[in-house]
């Protein structure tokens, strides 16, 4: 996993390697300083030799400047490498998502994908920067300092060995305890946030039933529970600093005692003793940093895993080897099709669908929620693949077409449709990139969207806010239809796309279709009988099966479900509009 | 732009992209917020916090002792011992024991400090969370309309978390740094004034360079935040519309646009990070240079003068010099953290400062018994008989008025924003026991009217009366208790089906809940669920179909058994046949009580006593089914389906 992700460092590899190298330089200089100060003391101050003071002083100054240079270089290369890595990763995830089929998207969910590209990438960027700068710095510092100590006095260095063993045991004890506790804490924390989320979205229910106090009590209990767990976990962490202090102080006292004896005995100089004190600090500081790095990296592991999931997901719809690039006509054949969603309950959503539709036919589809209408049409432009059987368009299996060629000729207006921020024109041009003004207006006219666009001062250049928030539901639907029409499709599918359009306009749109695109096969899913009753034939869906496929008149006579819907809607008194 | 529909005010797109900009400057408002955080902390944990400060002082003191000891060691023990023929280590051992004792106290103080801080930090957080939540529950619906749920959530998650760090870590650290600076500086002055001056110069240079760097980086950070906001916004929009992208084969174009934004972010991020990254080495190495200069100057003084600068003093001074410059560069980092945390704190406080739903009502809803003489007597138990309890301030008496369920609206105007009315001059008379229906297209204002009756929103003009009492005089909780509402959007809670039904009336028994479910024909499907009534519902009942969720929501309202019921598209996802059965059950339950029904299936409303046809916020027709058919107006058109041909 790590190696695959590290591959995305790409052209910033040079910077990613230079960063730790420069950091190493900086560390080397810093650990040399106390060593040279010992010489300055022993050869300069103690004998009162100013020349030696200047000599070692200037050497140290030079070291400090080299260290400064290395530090700046490391910082800059680190910034280039980490931001470059993040950008590459973001790009890779984004491009990967573009290859996803509907089934892949369903699996991750929109929100899941957005989080991966935003929060997770940022987490990884920070961890990566940390890794190439601090994670190199601290162990190096530790090693260098230990080496220098051993050089000065191998026997005194034993003090460090004892200290390190003590510290290692104490820290690993703390971290294993805390790790377990924190796992529980984070889970509870998610639950707490879940309950806030629930209350925010259900605030009307809470207020309607006057349950504010009840919810408060529930929340208070949960918050108290979390506090308890957190306190338990943090009390263990609270040992961290005292343990560190204890070790440092222990070292100072031990070095003072043994060091004094060594100096007095003459096998160590006073200068050396002072540099030992400096190394104590350097060693312990780097240990402290090291435990911080571990925490950072373990935190970013979750993000890494989530991004890895996306990058290794196999798009389950891929182009065939020798694809067919042209769709001959709008003939549609479902040959004993079974279909199930991968993420669903495992039960087949569509069962044994066998339908044959002639090119240019006008087909209505009706049925209750969950009966499989949207799933049926989703198979046509190969948004999902069938489980058994086959779907053919223009006499060829949809799996034999080039997906892009197929989708350009099989135009779907989705149930949950989206406009994008930009202008009316830029949205329409999704259908045809080089659409002229005339073509745009023609499409708008067919979709009965010309009147309200004409009413806007900017016309085609009128601004569209994110997800088309500045248009009403019915207007958005008509713009989406116009956009789909610009593709000049062989098959046009409207998945409940006129639900927010009033009945009159709906009828006008259908009339326009009949006149302007007679050769296009039209499939119209609707809740309203009035939207489908003038179709050549009507498919009645029920529980994943085709219950009947016939004309309005015949269905009224022979099909119970259709007659029942007709009864409630038309005889029982129309329908204002569908809120859905 | 045209917003032709009567839509509720929409929220801005995509949450907030601009979080945590490094400002570096503390303006007056931020200082005010900081004071408020401190006050909040002090409110519950004053003594704890003072104890923590004391512990920090002890810790710093012992740390200083450990540094100063080098001088004692070299000058007072090693130097004399070096001269003596038979070294006596006894005094040194005794001195080291004393030092060990002091240092041990320091360790204990450090532990106590950390441990107390846990109590303070987590305790404050828990209190703040609970306070925030209970305050949120009191906020008016309007608040939830105008703030995206993501933003509200992020107050609970991100902002409170920043505050926890501020209270638990940054502030104690800052205090630690300040004490260290002061005590170290004092020791330095005592040890050597000329060296101290040199140290001060170096610190001055450090501060100057940091300030320059911070100044130059600020622009880059702003650019980074801006580009990050753009990239995140683009990702959100495109991924939300990903299915449309697929259907239109728009992938290449989408990648192309993204690449450009992503590259911008990379370059501004790179610049910002470059500056941030060199801060640490620059500060550290200026510190190193200062260290070396001090060593040289100190050596020169020690060798060439007789100012009494001993070797021990010089070595100690060098360590102190480190301890002095480190906290100074830390302070500037801590200040930055504080400034950033203030942005989070601001959001927390601004939510706490949101005015809660105002309630000047004084009339209460009570259960009553009818005494033999016809007067009403208040009682605790459920009698199925309700009354309005009016306290009279003038003479301290209380009168009871029987709840009947008469609702009238007189000339009501309303707009979600004052500039744009969505309801105009609504007149409505619902006699007790009537079934009133609202029909009209999406956005006509049907739901809005019912939201006015339960005072989710307050009207701009006109009067709403409930049993001839102005609803402003009724306490909101009591008003809402008297109205059972099944909302358009079904929301269920995490818990069992039984718990969800009982939400309507907390003291309802299991049998009463089952009865309610049977009444609305939810019993059948619930019993077929894996664990029947004990099936857990998660994530808003995502394991149920839309229709099943609606049935549970109706059962929930039924178990509340309210005097007045509002059904807002309550059966829209239930198939026509089941709907008839549900309707029959509800009609039986609400017999003799007032019901408001909103529906788009006209069959649902046909048997209503009065049907209001709404269009663009006005009632354009009213009457019962037969009246309206005879009128041959809008209702007639819809009912006969002749609109399409007209």
């Amino acid at each position: 996993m790590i190696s695959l992700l590290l591959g995305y460092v790409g052209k910033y590899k040079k910077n990613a390697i230079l960063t730790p190298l420069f950091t190493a330089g900086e560390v080397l200089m810093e650990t040399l300083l106390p060593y040279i100060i010992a010489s300055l003391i022993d050869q300069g101050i103690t004998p009162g030799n100013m020349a030696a003071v200047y000599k070692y002083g200037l050497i140290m100054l030079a070291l400090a400047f080299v260290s400064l240079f290395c530090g700046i270089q490391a910082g800059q290369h680190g910034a280039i490498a980490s931001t470059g890595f993040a950008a590459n990763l973001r790009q890779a995830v984004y491009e990967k998502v573009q290859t996803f089929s509907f089934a892949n998207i369903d699996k991750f969910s929109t929100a899941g994908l957005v989080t991966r590209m935003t929060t997770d990438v940022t987490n990884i960027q920070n961890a990566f920067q940390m890794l190439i700068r601090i994670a190199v710095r601290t162990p190096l510092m530790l090693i260098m300092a230990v080496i220098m100590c051993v050089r000065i006095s191998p026997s005194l260095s034993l003090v460090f060995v004892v200290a390190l063993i003590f510290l290692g045991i104490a820290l690993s004890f703390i971290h294993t305890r805390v790790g377990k506790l924190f796992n529980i804490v984070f889970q509870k924390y998610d639950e707490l946030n879940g309950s806030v989320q629930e209350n925010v979205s259900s605030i009307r229910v809470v207020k309607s039933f006057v349950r504010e106090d009840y919810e408060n009590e529930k929340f208070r209990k949960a918050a108290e529970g979390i506090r308890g767990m957190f306190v338990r976990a943090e009390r263990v962490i609270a040992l961290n600093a005292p343990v560190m202090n204890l070790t440092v102080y222990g070292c100072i006292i031990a070095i003072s005692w043994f060091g004094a004896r060594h100096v007095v005995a003459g096998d160590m100089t006073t200068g050396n003793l002072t540099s030992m004190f400096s190394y104590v600090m350097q060693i312990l500081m780097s240990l402290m940093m090291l435990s911080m790095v571990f925490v950072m990296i373990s935190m970013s592991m979750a993000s890494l895993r989530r991004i890895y999931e996306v990058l290794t997901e196999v798009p389950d719809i891929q182009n065939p080897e020798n694809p067919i690039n042209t769709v001959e006509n709008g003939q549609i054949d479902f040959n004993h099709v079974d279909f199930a969603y991968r993420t669903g309950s495992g039960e087949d959503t569509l069962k044994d669908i066998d339908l044959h539709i002639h090119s240019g036919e006008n087909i209505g589809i009706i049925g209750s929620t969950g009966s499989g209408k949207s799933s049926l049409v989703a198979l046509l432009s190969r948004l999902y693949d069938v489980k058994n059987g086959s779907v053919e368009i223009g006499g060829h299996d949809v799996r034999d077409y080039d997906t892009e060629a197929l989708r350009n000729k099989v135009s779907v207006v989705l149930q949950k449709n989206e406009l994008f921020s930009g202008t009316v024109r830029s949205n329409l041009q999704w259908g045809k990139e080089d659409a002229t003004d005339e073509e745009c207006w023609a499409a708008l006219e067919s979709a009965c969207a010309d009147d309200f666009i004409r009413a806007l001062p900017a016309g085609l250049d009128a601004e569209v806010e994110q997800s088309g928030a500045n248009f009403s539901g019915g207007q958005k639907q008509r713009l989406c239809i116009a956009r789909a029409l610009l593709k000049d499709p062989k098959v046009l599918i409207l998945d409940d796309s006129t639900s927010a359009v009033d009945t009159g306009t709906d009828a006008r749109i259908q009339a326009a279709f009949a006149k302007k695109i007679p050769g296009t096969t039209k499939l119209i899913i609707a809740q309203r009988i009035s939207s489908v009753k003038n179709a050549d034939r009507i498919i009645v869906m029920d529980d994943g099966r085709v219950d009947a496929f016939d004309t309005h008149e015949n269905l009224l006579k022979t099909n119970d479900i259709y007659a029942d819907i007709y009864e409630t809607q038309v005889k029982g008194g129309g329908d204002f509009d569908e809120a859905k | 732009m045209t917003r032709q529909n009567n839509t509720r005010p929409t929220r801005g797109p995509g949450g907030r992209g601009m979080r945590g900009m490094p400002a570096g400057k503390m303006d007056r408002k931020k200082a005010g917020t900081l004071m408020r955080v401190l006050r909040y902390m002090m409110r519950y944990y004053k003594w704890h916090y003072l104890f923590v400060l004391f512990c920090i002082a002890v810790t710093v003191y012992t740390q200083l002792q450990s540094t100063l000891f080098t001088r004692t060691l070299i000058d007072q023990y090693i130097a004399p011992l070096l001269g003596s023929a038979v070294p006596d280590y006894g005094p040194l051992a005794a001195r080291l024991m004393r030092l060990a004792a002091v240092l041990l106290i320091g360790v204990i103080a450090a532990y106590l400090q950390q441990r107390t801080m846990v109590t303070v930090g987590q305790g404050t957080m828990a209190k703040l969370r609970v306070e925030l939540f209970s305050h949120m529950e009191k906020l008016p619906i309007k608040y939830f309309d105008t703030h995206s749920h993501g933003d509200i959530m992020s107050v609970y998650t991100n902002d409170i978390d920043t505050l926890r760090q501020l209270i638990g870590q940054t502030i104690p650290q800052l205090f630690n740094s300040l004490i260290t600076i002061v005590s170290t500086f004092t020791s330095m002055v005592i040890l050597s004034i000329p060296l101290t001056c040199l140290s001060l110069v170096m610190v001055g240079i450090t501060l100057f360079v940091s300030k320059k760097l911070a100044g130059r980086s600020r622009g880059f950070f702003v650019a980074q935040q801006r580009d990050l906001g753009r990239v995140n916004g683009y990702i959100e929009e495109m991924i939300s519309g990903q299915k449309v992208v697929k259907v239109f084969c728009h992938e290449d174009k989408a990648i192309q646009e993204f690449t450009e934004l992503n590259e911008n972010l990379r370059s501004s991020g790179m610049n910002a990070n470059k500056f941030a990254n060199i801060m640490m080495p620059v500060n550290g190495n200026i510190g190193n240079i200062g260290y070396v200069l001090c060593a040289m100057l100190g050596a020169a003084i020690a060798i060439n003068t007789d100012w009494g600068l001993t070797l021990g003093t010089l070595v100690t001074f060098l360590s102190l010099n480190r301890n002095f410059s480190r906290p100074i560069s830390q302070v500037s980092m801590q200040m930055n953290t504080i400034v950033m945390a203030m942005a989070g704190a601001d959001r927390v406080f601004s939510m706490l400062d949101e005015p809660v739903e105002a309630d000047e009502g004084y009339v209460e809803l009570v259960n009553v018994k009818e005494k033999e003489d016809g007067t009403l007597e208040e009682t605790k138990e459920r009698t199925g008989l309700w009354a309005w309890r009016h306290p009279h301030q003038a003479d301290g008496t209380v009168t009871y008025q029987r709840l009947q369920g008469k609702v009238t609206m007189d000339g009501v105007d309303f707009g979600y924003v004052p500039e744009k009315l969505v309801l105009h001059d609504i007149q409505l008379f619902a006699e007790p026991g009537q079934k009133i229906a609202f029909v009209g297209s999406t956005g006509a204002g049907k739901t809005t009217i019912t939201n006015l009756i339960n005072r989710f929103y307050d009207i701009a003009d006109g009067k709403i009366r409930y049993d001839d009492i102005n609803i402003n005089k009724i306490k909101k909780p009591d008003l809402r208790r008297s109205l059972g509402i099944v909302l358009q959007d079904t929301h269920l809670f995490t818990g069992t089906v039984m718990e969800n039904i009982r939400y309507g009336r907390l003291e309802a028994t299991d049998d009463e809940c089952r009865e309610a479910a049977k009444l609305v024909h939810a019993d059948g499907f619930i019993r077929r669920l894996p664990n029947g009534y004990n099936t857990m519902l998660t994530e808003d009942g995502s394991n149920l179909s839309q229709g099943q969720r609606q049935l549970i929501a109706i059962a929930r309202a039924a178990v509340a058994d309210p005097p007045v019921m509002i059904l807002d598209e309550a059966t829209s996802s239930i198939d026509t046949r089941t709907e008839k059965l549900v309707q029959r059950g509800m009609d039986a339950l609400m017999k003799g009580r007032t019901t408001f029904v909103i529906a788009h299936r006209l069959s649902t409303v046909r048997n209503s006593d009065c049907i209001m046809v709404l269009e663009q916020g006005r009632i354009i027709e009213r009457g019962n089914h037969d009246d309206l058919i005879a009128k041959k107006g809008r209702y007639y058109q819809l009912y006969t389906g002749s609109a399409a041909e007209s």
Side-chain angles (χ1 to χ4, degrees), chain B residues 11 109 248 304 365 525 633:
Chain B
R11 309 165 198 117
F248 282 92
N304 299 326
L365 180 74
F525 96 82

Side-chain angles (χ1 to χ4, degrees), chain B residues 99-253:
Chain B
L99 178 69
V102 172
L103 295 185
L104 199 61
I105 292 174
V107 171
I108 293 169
Y111 177 65
L112 288 177
Q113 173 211 330
Q114 298 285 340
R115 208 187 144 103
T116 316
M117 225 34 242
V118 172
T119 313
V120 177
Q122 289 301 330
T124 314
M125 280 310 106
K127 286 204 159 57
L128 189 59
R129 264 197 205 106
V130 169
E131 192 174 319
L132 199 62
F133 185 85
S134 57
H135 186 83
M136 179 184 85
E137 295 284 294
K138 286 190 222 121
L139 293 177
I141 295 292
K142 199 170 195 156
Y143 180 84
F144 297 91
D145 290 344
T146 48
H147 293 74
S148 91
H149 293 180
D151 281 358
I152 297 176
M153 281 309 296
S154 109
V155 171
Y156 282 90
T157 53
N158 302 328
D159 296 338
I160 286 211
D161 219 53
T162 357
L163 265 187
R164 185 171 61 90
Q165 280 185 8
L166 181 76
I167 293 176
Q169 288 170 17
T170 316
I171 294 182
Q173 273 170 10
L174 185 68
F175 186 72
N176 189 319
S177 304
L178 292 177
I179 299 189
T180 309
I181 292 170
V182 172
S183 58
T184 311
F185 183 73
T186 317
S187 312
M188 282 163 67
V189 170
I190 293 171
L191 289 182
S192 165
I193 291 174
L195 287 182
T196 309
C197 291
L198 179 64
S199 290
L200 281 181
V201 171
M202 292 313 290
V203 165
I205 293 177
T206 313
L207 289 181
F208 176 75
V209 173
S210 310
K211 207 174 162 199
K212 276 269 159 223
L213 283 177
R216 290 194 52 188
S217 70
R218 194 164 303 137
F220 289 120
F221 269 104
V222 171
Q224 184 194 16
Q225 287 301 324
R226 183 198 60 212
D227 290 342
L228 188 67
R230 278 186 194 156
V231 166
N232 288 356
Y234 188 78
I235 288 175
E236 236 178 272
E237 173 162 20
M238 294 314 275
I239 299 294
S240 308
Q242 190 59 33
K243 292 196 170 179
V244 181
V245 172
K246 301 290 314 176
V247 165
F248 282 92
C249 302
H250 212 261
E251 294 94 333
D252 292 340
K253 192 95 186 295

Side-chain angles (χ1 to χ4, degrees), chain A residues 387-409:
Chain A
K387 191 166 127 193
N388 297 309
S390 65
V391 177
E392 290 176 11
I393 289 194
H396 297 284
D397 193 313
V398 289
R399 285 169 291 193
D400 294 335
Y401 284 106
D402 175 64
T403 352
E404 186 164 345
L406 176 73
R407 288 182 187 160
N408 275 333
K409 288 299 155 192

